[in-house]
Amino acid sequence: MATRGDRAAVDRSRWDRALDFLYFGSKALGKRLSLALLDVGAVAVLWILTSYVVIRVSTGEIGYTLLPWWLVALGAVEAAALWESFGRSFGHRVARLELRRADGGDPALRQKLVHWLLWHVGVIPVLPLLLAPPPHERASGLTLRPFTMEGRIPRPWWRTSTGLYMAYLALVSIVAAVSGTITWEDLVRLFTNAGATAKFWRSFLSPDTSIILRTVQALIVTVFMAMTATAFAVLVAVPLSFLAARNLMRGLIGRAIYTVIRGTMSIIRSIEPVVWAIFFLVWVRVELAPFAGVLALFVHSVSDLTKLYAERLESIDPGLIEAITATGANRLQVLRYAVIPQIVNPYISFTLYRWDINIRMATVVGVVGGGGIGQALFFYLKGNLWTQAGTVMLFIIALVWAIDYLSARLRAKLA
Amino acid sequence: MAEPYLVVEHLTKVYERGHVVALKDVSFEVRKGEFLVIIGLSGSGKSTLLRCINRLIEPTKGRIFIDGVEITKLSPRQMRKFRRRIGMIFQHFNLIKRATVMTNVLTGRLGYNPTWKTLLGIFPRSDRELALRNLERVGLLEKAYVRADELSGGQQQRVGIARALMQEPELLLADEPVSALDPATSHSVMQYIEQMNQEDGVTVLASLHFLSLARRYGTRIIALKDGELVFDGAPEEIDDRKFKEIYGEEAEEVEIR
Ligand SMILES: Nc1ncnc2c1ncn2[C@@H]1O[C@H](COP(=O)(O)OP(=O)(O)OP(=O)(O)O)[C@@H](O)[C@H]1O
Ligand SMILES: [Mg+2]
């Protein structure tokens, strides 16, 4: 508690100094005016957001207020006056102030009323604020004091008026964001137009048996794409991971290599496999579709696996390395008996996990022309061949489910 | 008196990271067959001292001689060879958890075998027999083909001792070998170390946290405080005043039986 109070004290003086600077060095003017501006601003933001949501939802148009602007401004000012007089307003909280009686006691209702009424006279024309204390405070006998927790039961902020305000603000902002992206018609269609997908569902239920052989072939191509990409990725990622492990790459040159590899890998990883597939399709030509898909998955897998492997290497227990080194073992022996035992299972586990991802990715990559089942699906969808597309999708679902299950089981065994 | 077996001269270690001076101009000698116990508070530099002696940590300054060889001058390759003569056991045992006890014990022979064979896991028959004998010695013969992480703490430390025994060492470094064990198990482990000391004539350097253990097993005690050597003498010489000097005014001696 003590440290919290100290910090508050520091922050308070910093605020004071900043406010003084902004308002010509007049403490009374600066403090009250900035409080009023903060509160009016806060209320106005809330008002505008609320209006936006209401207008958007009810009329579908974009508008910020149903009332004339002068009325909005007046309303905001009035709300701020009430907030500052009867509660601890947003501005009070920001500046860590509170309204107290001169003797430090809780304000009486009568004092609050006086404070509120004279607030209009004292704050709106601004000039009376140059008096210290300003008229509304002089008449009500209330002053703004640094907020203290002394002799008070702390209440969590979300149970205060500001907490309510923040919650409301968050809610309205979310609604505003949603109403900005989804129109009323969209929603109506979502709930009334489900029938349009009927042909889609029907096709699921009546698979086209004549294409099963072709589909299974494409499925095998997809699995092979994933396998090939994963296998080659492992070959590259395992050695790279040692160069990308911070604890193994000591010294200036080591650190430089580490940084370059980690950096490159995160850039590669941040580009979607689909994008890589398009890139490689352009490079190796469309006739070699599965090959382009494999290359895309390979590149992405290398970067992903290198990172996963390297992170595992970074968390190995250095104690075992010490122990094996202490027997007189050389570097290769330390690698074989202290490092590898700690990483084999995690490496295999990561590889399975990546293979699992690659099968799903291979389908997606296929859609842009990367070969395999994805390409078949795309072909049927493009031709409005719903029955065939549905059949292909059934196979994809079965495959993904099976691989997911298999790899999860294997990984559980390895853990 | 015979030539000292281990000589530490003006040993200083500064960790660049954090600018910690872990050892300050530490000098002492150990004769062959001694059981030297190192005591001191946490952070006083015990682990650092032990690791400087087999150069798991490179000393910043000072010289270390073992059996007349200035090991601080050895090339990395020569040092690797020399380490075969120095066994080491650790507070947290540092075993290969997923490997069998047998494999763990055999790693004590890595320095004696050709690299390519050990990479394939091939050890000569004589080594395997030695491993079984050493496991028998520490009472773990029937656990030879059990995974190391299935053993209790005390059993794991005994595997550590068997691994050190495989090196047929002349010097054993033990860094808080019983700190992770309960009192009864501590004594059983300490007795195996004592046995190495008395029967095989292995010189022992062990850091211990409990003074009662140090008194019971040590033939000599040195004490470190903030990296400086503040005591070097017989166990009996540590009286109340010395104790407070080493551990600070607040400390109370605790017994471990
Ligand atoms: N790798 C390191 N890098 C930087 N400082 C270190 C490193 N290892 C140890 N130190 C510091 O060196 C000092 C001595 O540490 P050391 O581990 O030798 O103490 P210790 O007596 O073994 O303590 P404990 O009883 O806790 O094991 C400590 O202040 C520690 O923080
Ligand atoms: Mg230590």
Side-chain angles (χ1 to χ4, degrees):
Chain A
M1 267 285 109
T3 55
R4 226 177 127 184
D6 294 347
R7 208 174 56 216
V10 172
D11 286 356
R12 199 152 50 228
S13 62
R14 200 187 312 137
W15 258 101
D16 278 354
R17 261 179 285 131
L19 297 180
D20 286 352
F21 178 76
L22 277 173
Y23 297 101
F24 337 112
S26 163
K27 259 204 156 75
L29 173 76
K31 202 180 275 173
R32 271 90 189 171
L33 199 58
S34 60
L35 286 185
L37 285 176
L38 271 174
D39 291 333
V40 170
V43 174
V45 166
L46 204 58
W47 193 315
I48 290 168
L49 270 175
T50 310
S51 308
Y52 173 84
V53 172
V54 170
I55 296 167
R56 185 73 206 249
V57 170
S58 57
T59 69
E61 316 236 303
I62 293 177
Y64 296 97
T65 170
L66 294 166
L67 304 171
W69 279 104
W70 62 268
L71 215 55
V72 174
L74 267 189
V77 169
E78 188 50 42
L82 285 166
W83 203 2
E84 282 185 19
S85 303
F86 293 95
R88 221 177 137 224
S89 72
F90 177 63
H92 285 166
R93 269 164 207 280
V94 170
R96 290 171 208 278
L97 294 169
E98 63 180 338
L99 205 57
R100 306 297 283 171
R101 275 205 323 246
D103 62 8
D106 278 333
L109 182 63
R110 193 193 53 80
Q111 287 176 303
K112 290 185 193 173
L113 277 169
V114 173
H115 186 276
W116 169 60
L117 286 172
L118 286 175
W119 193 92
H120 301 88
V121 185
V123 178
I124 296 171
V126 177
L127 274 184
L129 285 179
L130 281 169
L131 299 172
H136 60 294
E137 290 186 8
R138 184 172 304 185
S140 66
L142 299 176
T143 53
L144 282 171
R145 315 175 132 227
F147 177 76
T148 65
M149 280 311 292
E150 226 164 279
R152 236 183 272 225
I153 304 158
R155 235 209 280 174
W157 67 268
W158 62 86
R159 289 187 44 206
T160 62
S161 58
T162 307
L164 270 175
Y165 169 83
M166 289 297 175
Y168 185 66
L169 186 73
L171 191 75
V172 180
S173 319
I174 291 169
V175 176
V178 170
S179 64
T181 44
I182 301 171
T183 64
W184 192 237
E185 295 89 80
D186 291 339
L187 283 176
V188 170
R189 238 180 283 129
L190 177 65
F191 287 104
T192 56
N193 206 27
T197 60
K199 59 180 169 192
F200 187 76
W201 293 110
R202 233 176 291 120
S203 63
F204 262 130
L205 297 175
S206 55
D208 179 354
T209 46
S210 68
I211 63 158
I212 283 182
L213 192 67
R214 239 180 303 153
T215 308
V216 169
Q217 273 170 355
L219 211 60
I220 292 173
V221 169
T222 297
V223 175
F224 279 1
M225 277 167 66
M227 270 186 172
T228 316
T230 315
F232 282 103
V234 168
L235 288 182
V236 178
V238 168
L240 271 185
S241 68
F242 283 82
L243 299 177
R246 184 191 281 272
N247 55 338
L248 303 180
M249 300 306 284
R250 294 261 166 75
L252 209 63
I253 298 174
R255 228 358 99 75
I257 297 175
Y258 160 86
T259 313
V260 168
I261 294 182
R262 275 298 182 92
T264 316
M265 290 303 145
S266 59
I267 293 171
I268 293 177
R269 202 172 47 250
S270 65
I271 299 171
E272 288 294 315
V274 178
V275 180
W276 281 113
I278 295 168
F279 174 74
F280 284 115
L281 272 171
V282 173
W283 187 346
V284 301
R285 303 279 150 60
V286 187
E287 305 89 70
L288 296 166
F291 183 55
V294 167
L295 282 175
L297 294 175
F298 164 78
V299 167
H300 203 256
S301 303
V302 166
S303 67
D304 193 30
L305 285 177
T306 302
K307 172 168 169 285
L308 289 172
Y309 291 166
E311 275 169 3
R312 177 58 227 184
L313 269 176
E314 282 170 0
S315 65
I316 60 172
D317 170 23
L320 186 56
I321 295 181
E322 274 192 324
I324 300 296
T325 310
T327 65
N330 60 33
R331 276 161 172 271
L332 280 175
Q333 290 171 324
V334 171
L335 189 71
R336 162 73 174 79
Y337 285 94
V339 179
I340 291 179
Q342 296 192 63
I343 61 171
V344 198
N345 280 13
Y347 271 36
I348 295 175
S349 182
F350 289 143
T351 309
L352 281 171
Y353 164 75
R354 186 61 218 193
W355 180 56
D356 178 355
I357 292 181
N358 275 350
I359 287 191
R360 267 172 283 156
M361 291 276 188
T363 314
V364 179
V365 160
V367 172
V368 299
I373 192 96
Q375 198 164 0
L377 178 66
F378 185 61
F379 173 76
Y380 292 130
L381 283 176
K382 208 167 56 180
N384 279 332
L385 299 164
W386 292 97
T387 314
Q388 284 74 6
T391 313
V392 169
M393 266 195 241
L394 274 181
F395 273 95
I396 292 175
I397 290 167
L399 175 73
V400 168
W401 178 82
I403 299 294
D404 201 35
Y405 176 79
L406 190 72
S407 101
R409 279 293 294 271
L410 283 172
R411 277 183 282 139
K413 274 245 166 63
L414 286 168
Chain B
M1 262 299 137
E3 270 281 288
Y5 173 68
L6 167 73
V7 180
V8 174
E9 271 180 9
H10 306 296
L11 183 64
T12 296
K13 172 66 194 178
V14 182
Y15 285 109
E16 295 299 332
R17 196 156 41 105
H19 309 286
V20 183
V21 184
L23 293 173
K24 274 178 231 162
D25 196 23
V26 173
S27 302
F28 62 93
E29 295 181 353
V30 185
R31 286 188 308 278
K32 200 152 185 67
E34 268 192 294
F35 194 125
L36 182 85
V37 174
I38 305 164
I39 59 172
L41 285 174
S42 222
S44 56
K46 305 183 294 295
S47 302
T48 307
L49 174 60
L50 287 171
R51 281 166 177 70
C52 281
I53 290 171
N54 63 358
R55 276 180 56 194
L56 284 182
I57 291 176
E58 287 299 328
T60 310
K61 251 193 241 141
R63 303 197 292 177
I64 298 170
F65 296 87
I66 299 178
D67 205 15
V69 181
E70 185 178 354
I71 61 129
T72 34
K73 263 209 183 135
L74 296 182
S75 70
R77 197 190 163 82
Q78 289 168 319
M79 190 62 224
R80 271 204 297 276
K81 249 190 151 143
F82 200 91
R83 282 200 190 107
R84 298 185 303 193
R85 297 163 63 179
I86 312 171
M88 188 160 191
I89 57 180
F90 302 83
Q91 177 177 4
H92 297 294
F93 328 127
N94 295 350
L95 303 180
I96 311 169
K97 293 200 176 63
R98 298 178 167 279
T100 61
V101 167
M102 188 67 180
T103 306
N104 270 289
V105 175
L106 281 171
T107 57
R109 296 302 286 180
L110 286 175
Y112 290 95
N113 285 300
T115 304
W116 72 270
K117 274 193 177 169
T118 58
L119 290 187
L120 298 173
I122 302 169
F123 288 88
R125 192 182 182 79
S126 57
D127 282 357
R128 295 181 168 274
E129 281 165 3
L130 182 64
L132 290 175
R133 276 203 302 283
N134 283 328
L135 278 174
E136 191 169 13
R137 227 180 123 171
V138 297
L140 286 176
L141 188 55
E142 75 280 13
K143 299 282 187 193
Y145 294 99
V146 169
R147 259 172 67 147
D149 57 2
E150 286 169 16
L151 301 184
S152 72
Q155 290 171 330
Q156 291 194 34
Q157 193 57 293
R158 276 142 69 193
V159 175
I161 293 176
R163 176 171 66 189
L165 279 169
M166 291 301 283
Q167 292 173 237
E168 299 177 314
E170 342 169 334
L171 177 63
L172 179 74
L173 306 174
D175 189 12
E176 297 184 28
V178 296
S179 293
L181 306 175
D182 63 63
T185 317
S186 292
H187 275 296
S188 101
V189 165
M190 285 308 296
Q191 273 153 18
Y192 284 113
I193 298 176
E194 190 175 43
Q195 203 183 18
M196 270 174 93
N197 177 244
Q198 291 175 354
E199 290 175 14
D200 313 46
V202 175
T203 309
V204 177
L205 259 71
S207 68
L208 292 173
H209 255 309
F210 285 101
L211 195 53
S212 56
L213 282 177
R215 286 208 175 100
R216 158 79 180 74
Y217 295 98
T219 58
R220 210 176 106 212
I221 294 182
I222 64 173
L224 290 174
K225 189 182 182 187
D226 297 329
E228 280 178 284
L229 194 72
V230 292
F231 176 84
D232 181 349
E236 307 82 59
E237 285 175 50
I238 301 190
D239 52 19
D240 237 33
R241 206 175 48 79
K242 273 267 176 284
F243 178 81
K244 288 218 152 67
E245 227 178 271
I246 299 164
Y247 286 102
E249 288 301 323
E250 310 294 292
E252 287 282 347
E253 191 175 344
V254 247
E255 280 289 310
I256 168 169
R257 290 176 193 284

